[in-house]
Amino acid sequence: MAVESTKSRILALLKRSAGSTVEELASALDLARMTVRQHLATLQRDNLVTAEEVRRPTGRPHFAYSLTDEGEET
């Protein structure tokens, strides 16, 4: 049951923000980034979350995650 509540918490956080990075979500939920990535991958597969690439001046691009219309309804 804990897994489902983590996904619900991620969806709730994304509902309140215009878009969050893995780092922001991990920090807010006090979880490892890898754990958050795994949940986001499942939520993307279920078409509840979408990722948009955010380019930064240096380093690797990051992704901002936000809810899909379907995700907004859950």
Side-chain angles (χ1 to χ4, degrees), residues 23-44:
E23 290 76 16
E24 291 165 343
L25 291 168
S27 176
L29 296 168
D30 196 27
L31 292 170
R33 290 189 306 246
M34 193 66 220
T35 303
V36 172
R37 276 192 197 93
Q38 289 170 339
H39 287 296
L40 286 168
T42 303
L43 291 167
Q44 276 185 287

PDB file of all heavy atoms in Angstrom, residues 23-44:
ATOM      1  N   GLU A  23      14.534  16.102  -8.753  1.00  0.00           N
ATOM      2  CA  GLU A  23      15.198  16.587  -7.540  1.00  0.00           C
ATOM      3  C   GLU A  23      14.206  17.280  -6.609  1.00  0.00           C
ATOM      4  O   GLU A  23      14.232  17.071  -5.402  1.00  0.00           O
ATOM      5  CB  GLU A  23      16.341  17.542  -7.898  1.00  0.00           C
ATOM      6  CG  GLU A  23      17.539  16.877  -8.544  1.00  0.00           C
ATOM      7  CD  GLU A  23      17.340  16.495 -10.018  1.00  0.00           C
ATOM      8  OE1 GLU A  23      16.379  16.993 -10.664  1.00  0.00           O
ATOM      9  OE2 GLU A  23      18.124  15.671 -10.516  1.00  0.00           O
ATOM     10  N   GLU A  24      13.338  18.112  -7.179  1.00  0.00           N
ATOM     11  CA  GLU A  24      12.345  18.825  -6.361  1.00  0.00           C
ATOM     12  C   GLU A  24      11.370  17.850  -5.707  1.00  0.00           C
ATOM     13  O   GLU A  24      11.038  17.984  -4.529  1.00  0.00           O
ATOM     14  CB  GLU A  24      11.579  19.841  -7.216  1.00  0.00           C
ATOM     15  CG  GLU A  24      12.435  21.011  -7.657  1.00  0.00           C
ATOM     16  CD  GLU A  24      11.815  21.821  -8.783  1.00  0.00           C
ATOM     17  OE1 GLU A  24      10.886  21.337  -9.464  1.00  0.00           O
ATOM     18  OE2 GLU A  24      12.283  22.955  -8.971  1.00  0.00           O
ATOM     19  N   LEU A  25      10.914  16.872  -6.472  1.00  0.00           N
ATOM     20  CA  LEU A  25       9.985  15.881  -5.927  1.00  0.00           C
ATOM     21  C   LEU A  25      10.652  15.035  -4.849  1.00  0.00           C
ATOM     22  O   LEU A  25      10.069  14.787  -3.794  1.00  0.00           O
ATOM     23  CB  LEU A  25       9.443  14.991  -7.047  1.00  0.00           C
ATOM     24  CG  LEU A  25       8.504  15.671  -8.042  1.00  0.00           C
ATOM     25  CD1 LEU A  25       8.275  14.777  -9.252  1.00  0.00           C
ATOM     26  CD2 LEU A  25       7.187  16.038  -7.387  1.00  0.00           C
ATOM     27  N   ALA A  26      11.878  14.601  -5.113  1.00  0.00           N
ATOM     28  CA  ALA A  26      12.606  13.772  -4.149  1.00  0.00           C
ATOM     29  C   ALA A  26      12.798  14.528  -2.840  1.00  0.00           C
ATOM     30  O   ALA A  26      12.614  13.968  -1.751  1.00  0.00           O
ATOM     31  CB  ALA A  26      13.957  13.338  -4.724  1.00  0.00           C
ATOM     32  N   SER A  27      13.142  15.792  -2.935  1.00  0.00           N
ATOM     33  CA  SER A  27      13.348  16.618  -1.753  1.00  0.00           C
ATOM     34  C   SER A  27      12.040  16.795  -0.981  1.00  0.00           C
ATOM     35  O   SER A  27      11.998  16.643   0.236  1.00  0.00           O
ATOM     36  CB  SER A  27      13.916  17.976  -2.169  1.00  0.00           C
ATOM     37  OG  SER A  27      14.039  18.820  -1.058  1.00  0.00           O
ATOM     38  N   ALA A  28      10.966  17.100  -1.693  1.00  0.00           N
ATOM     39  CA  ALA A  28       9.670  17.326  -1.054  1.00  0.00           C
ATOM     40  C   ALA A  28       9.128  16.066  -0.376  1.00  0.00           C
ATOM     41  O   ALA A  28       8.478  16.141   0.660  1.00  0.00           O
ATOM     42  CB  ALA A  28       8.666  17.841  -2.086  1.00  0.00           C
ATOM     43  N   LEU A  29       9.418  14.913  -0.965  1.00  0.00           N
ATOM     44  CA  LEU A  29       8.891  13.647  -0.443  1.00  0.00           C
ATOM     45  C   LEU A  29       9.879  12.919   0.457  1.00  0.00           C
ATOM     46  O   LEU A  29       9.559  11.879   1.013  1.00  0.00           O
ATOM     47  CB  LEU A  29       8.504  12.729  -1.613  1.00  0.00           C
ATOM     48  CG  LEU A  29       7.379  13.238  -2.502  1.00  0.00           C
ATOM     49  CD1 LEU A  29       7.287  12.415  -3.771  1.00  0.00           C
ATOM     50  CD2 LEU A  29       6.062  13.219  -1.744  1.00  0.00           C
ATOM     51  N   ASP A  30      11.089  13.458   0.554  1.00  0.00           N
ATOM     52  CA  ASP A  30      12.149  12.826   1.344  1.00  0.00           C
ATOM     53  C   ASP A  30      12.407  11.396   0.860  1.00  0.00           C
ATOM     54  O   ASP A  30      12.443  10.450   1.636  1.00  0.00           O
ATOM     55  CB  ASP A  30      11.794  12.848   2.838  1.00  0.00           C
ATOM     56  CG  ASP A  30      13.022  12.568   3.705  1.00  0.00           C
ATOM     57  OD1 ASP A  30      14.149  12.866   3.260  1.00  0.00           O
ATOM     58  OD2 ASP A  30      12.857  12.038   4.818  1.00  0.00           O
ATOM     59  N   LEU A  31      12.558  11.279  -0.462  1.00  0.00           N
ATOM     60  CA  LEU A  31      12.828   9.990  -1.099  1.00  0.00           C
ATOM     61  C   LEU A  31      14.080  10.105  -1.959  1.00  0.00           C
ATOM     62  O   LEU A  31      14.470  11.203  -2.349  1.00  0.00           O
ATOM     63  CB  LEU A  31      11.660   9.588  -2.006  1.00  0.00           C
ATOM     64  CG  LEU A  31      10.335   9.245  -1.342  1.00  0.00           C
ATOM     65  CD1 LEU A  31       9.252   9.107  -2.390  1.00  0.00           C
ATOM     66  CD2 LEU A  31      10.455   7.971  -0.526  1.00  0.00           C
ATOM     67  N   ALA A  32      14.659   8.959  -2.280  1.00  0.00           N
ATOM     68  CA  ALA A  32      15.810   8.934  -3.187  1.00  0.00           C
ATOM     69  C   ALA A  32      15.333   9.307  -4.598  1.00  0.00           C
ATOM     70  O   ALA A  32      14.204   8.997  -4.991  1.00  0.00           O
ATOM     71  CB  ALA A  32      16.432   7.547  -3.202  1.00  0.00           C
ATOM     72  N   ARG A  33      16.198   9.983  -5.351  1.00  0.00           N
ATOM     73  CA  ARG A  33      15.837  10.381  -6.718  1.00  0.00           C
ATOM     74  C   ARG A  33      15.479   9.166  -7.571  1.00  0.00           C
ATOM     75  O   ARG A  33      14.573   9.231  -8.393  1.00  0.00           O
ATOM     76  CB  ARG A  33      16.978  11.176  -7.358  1.00  0.00           C
ATOM     77  CG  ARG A  33      17.132  12.558  -6.734  1.00  0.00           C
ATOM     78  CD  ARG A  33      18.105  13.414  -7.510  1.00  0.00           C
ATOM     79  NE  ARG A  33      19.390  12.767  -7.685  1.00  0.00           N
ATOM     80  CZ  ARG A  33      20.528  13.191  -7.149  1.00  0.00           C
ATOM     81  NH1 ARG A  33      20.551  14.271  -6.412  1.00  0.00           N
ATOM     82  NH2 ARG A  33      21.649  12.551  -7.363  1.00  0.00           N
ATOM     83  N   MET A  34      16.210   8.074  -7.400  1.00  0.00           N
ATOM     84  CA  MET A  34      15.934   6.861  -8.188  1.00  0.00           C
ATOM     85  C   MET A  34      14.522   6.337  -7.906  1.00  0.00           C
ATOM     86  O   MET A  34      13.825   5.897  -8.824  1.00  0.00           O
ATOM     87  CB  MET A  34      16.989   5.794  -7.869  1.00  0.00           C
ATOM     88  CG  MET A  34      16.975   4.641  -8.834  1.00  0.00           C
ATOM     89  SD  MET A  34      17.476   5.194 -10.467  1.00  0.00           S
ATOM     90  CE  MET A  34      16.342   4.276 -11.460  1.00  0.00           C
ATOM     91  N   THR A  35      14.124   6.398  -6.652  1.00  0.00           N
ATOM     92  CA  THR A  35      12.773   5.954  -6.277  1.00  0.00           C
ATOM     93  C   THR A  35      11.732   6.816  -6.975  1.00  0.00           C
ATOM     94  O   THR A  35      10.763   6.305  -7.536  1.00  0.00           O
ATOM     95  CB  THR A  35      12.587   6.044  -4.744  1.00  0.00           C
ATOM     96  OG1 THR A  35      13.593   5.261  -4.122  1.00  0.00           O
ATOM     97  CG2 THR A  35      11.218   5.571  -4.315  1.00  0.00           C
ATOM     98  N   VAL A  36      11.932   8.122  -6.955  1.00  0.00           N
ATOM     99  CA  VAL A  36      11.002   9.047  -7.612  1.00  0.00           C
ATOM    100  C   VAL A  36      10.970   8.777  -9.112  1.00  0.00           C
ATOM    101  O   VAL A  36       9.898   8.740  -9.722  1.00  0.00           O
ATOM    102  CB  VAL A  36      11.385  10.516  -7.312  1.00  0.00           C
ATOM    103  CG1 VAL A  36      10.550  11.479  -8.140  1.00  0.00           C
ATOM    104  CG2 VAL A  36      11.228  10.810  -5.822  1.00  0.00           C
ATOM    105  N   ARG A  37      12.140   8.546  -9.721  1.00  0.00           N
ATOM    106  CA  ARG A  37      12.202   8.253 -11.167  1.00  0.00           C
ATOM    107  C   ARG A  37      11.388   7.009 -11.510  1.00  0.00           C
ATOM    108  O   ARG A  37      10.694   6.976 -12.529  1.00  0.00           O
ATOM    109  CB  ARG A  37      13.646   8.048 -11.614  1.00  0.00           C
ATOM    110  CG  ARG A  37      14.367   9.329 -11.911  1.00  0.00           C
ATOM    111  CD  ARG A  37      15.702   9.069 -12.623  1.00  0.00           C
ATOM    112  NE  ARG A  37      16.522  10.248 -12.535  1.00  0.00           N
ATOM    113  CZ  ARG A  37      17.424  10.482 -11.582  1.00  0.00           C
ATOM    114  NH1 ARG A  37      17.644   9.592 -10.649  1.00  0.00           N
ATOM    115  NH2 ARG A  37      18.109  11.595 -11.571  1.00  0.00           N
ATOM    116  N   GLN A  38      11.494   5.980 -10.670  1.00  0.00           N
ATOM    117  CA  GLN A  38      10.753   4.743 -10.929  1.00  0.00           C
ATOM    118  C   GLN A  38       9.250   4.987 -10.884  1.00  0.00           C
ATOM    119  O   GLN A  38       8.506   4.500 -11.735  1.00  0.00           O
ATOM    120  CB  GLN A  38      11.161   3.659  -9.924  1.00  0.00           C
ATOM    121  CG  GLN A  38      12.562   3.142 -10.164  1.00  0.00           C
ATOM    122  CD  GLN A  38      13.058   2.254  -9.031  1.00  0.00           C
ATOM    123  OE1 GLN A  38      12.563   2.301  -7.911  1.00  0.00           O
ATOM    124  NE2 GLN A  38      14.068   1.442  -9.335  1.00  0.00           N
ATOM    125  N   HIS A  39       8.801   5.750  -9.892  1.00  0.00           N
ATOM    126  CA  HIS A  39       7.371   6.063  -9.797  1.00  0.00           C
ATOM    127  C   HIS A  39       6.927   6.920 -10.981  1.00  0.00           C
ATOM    128  O   HIS A  39       5.854   6.687 -11.544  1.00  0.00           O
ATOM    129  CB  HIS A  39       7.067   6.792  -8.479  1.00  0.00           C
ATOM    130  CG  HIS A  39       7.116   5.900  -7.284  1.00  0.00           C
ATOM    131  ND1 HIS A  39       6.242   4.845  -7.099  1.00  0.00           N
ATOM    132  CD2 HIS A  39       7.928   5.899  -6.208  1.00  0.00           C
ATOM    133  CE1 HIS A  39       6.520   4.234  -5.964  1.00  0.00           C
ATOM    134  NE2 HIS A  39       7.542   4.854  -5.401  1.00  0.00           N
ATOM    135  N   LEU A  40       7.752   7.892 -11.364  1.00  0.00           N
ATOM    136  CA  LEU A  40       7.400   8.749 -12.506  1.00  0.00           C
ATOM    137  C   LEU A  40       7.311   7.933 -13.798  1.00  0.00           C
ATOM    138  O   LEU A  40       6.437   8.179 -14.628  1.00  0.00           O
ATOM    139  CB  LEU A  40       8.424   9.881 -12.662  1.00  0.00           C
ATOM    140  CG  LEU A  40       8.314  10.996 -11.623  1.00  0.00           C
ATOM    141  CD1 LEU A  40       9.534  11.901 -11.694  1.00  0.00           C
ATOM    142  CD2 LEU A  40       7.037  11.793 -11.783  1.00  0.00           C
ATOM    143  N   ALA A  41       8.194   6.960 -13.959  1.00  0.00           N
ATOM    144  CA  ALA A  41       8.160   6.108 -15.155  1.00  0.00           C
ATOM    145  C   ALA A  41       6.832   5.354 -15.229  1.00  0.00           C
ATOM    146  O   ALA A  41       6.214   5.262 -16.294  1.00  0.00           O
ATOM    147  CB  ALA A  41       9.334   5.132 -15.146  1.00  0.00           C
ATOM    148  N   THR A  42       6.371   4.852 -14.090  1.00  0.00           N
ATOM    149  CA  THR A  42       5.090   4.142 -14.051  1.00  0.00           C
ATOM    150  C   THR A  42       3.942   5.100 -14.340  1.00  0.00           C
ATOM    151  O   THR A  42       3.030   4.779 -15.102  1.00  0.00           O
ATOM    152  CB  THR A  42       4.886   3.490 -12.667  1.00  0.00           C
ATOM    153  OG1 THR A  42       5.982   2.616 -12.417  1.00  0.00           O
ATOM    154  CG2 THR A  42       3.593   2.704 -12.610  1.00  0.00           C
ATOM    155  N   LEU A  43       4.000   6.284 -13.750  1.00  0.00           N
ATOM    156  CA  LEU A  43       2.938   7.272 -13.969  1.00  0.00           C
ATOM    157  C   LEU A  43       2.911   7.739 -15.431  1.00  0.00           C
ATOM    158  O   LEU A  43       1.836   7.980 -15.979  1.00  0.00           O
ATOM    159  CB  LEU A  43       3.126   8.465 -13.025  1.00  0.00           C
ATOM    160  CG  LEU A  43       2.881   8.158 -11.545  1.00  0.00           C
ATOM    161  CD1 LEU A  43       3.396   9.284 -10.664  1.00  0.00           C
ATOM    162  CD2 LEU A  43       1.408   7.898 -11.280  1.00  0.00           C
ATOM    163  N   GLN A  44       4.088   7.837 -16.060  1.00  0.00           N
ATOM    164  CA  GLN A  44       4.144   8.183 -17.485  1.00  0.00           C
ATOM    165  C   GLN A  44       3.533   7.069 -18.326  1.00  0.00           C
ATOM    166  O   GLN A  44       2.770   7.332 -19.249  1.00  0.00           O
ATOM    167  CB  GLN A  44       5.591   8.415 -17.931  1.00  0.00           C
ATOM    168  CG  GLN A  44       6.098   9.800 -17.652  1.00  0.00           C
ATOM    169  CD  GLN A  44       7.486   9.991 -18.226  1.00  0.00           C
ATOM    170  OE1 GLN A  44       8.459   9.465 -17.704  1.00  0.00           O
ATOM    171  NE2 GLN A  44       7.562  10.744 -19.300  1.00  0.00           N
TER     172      GLN A  44
END
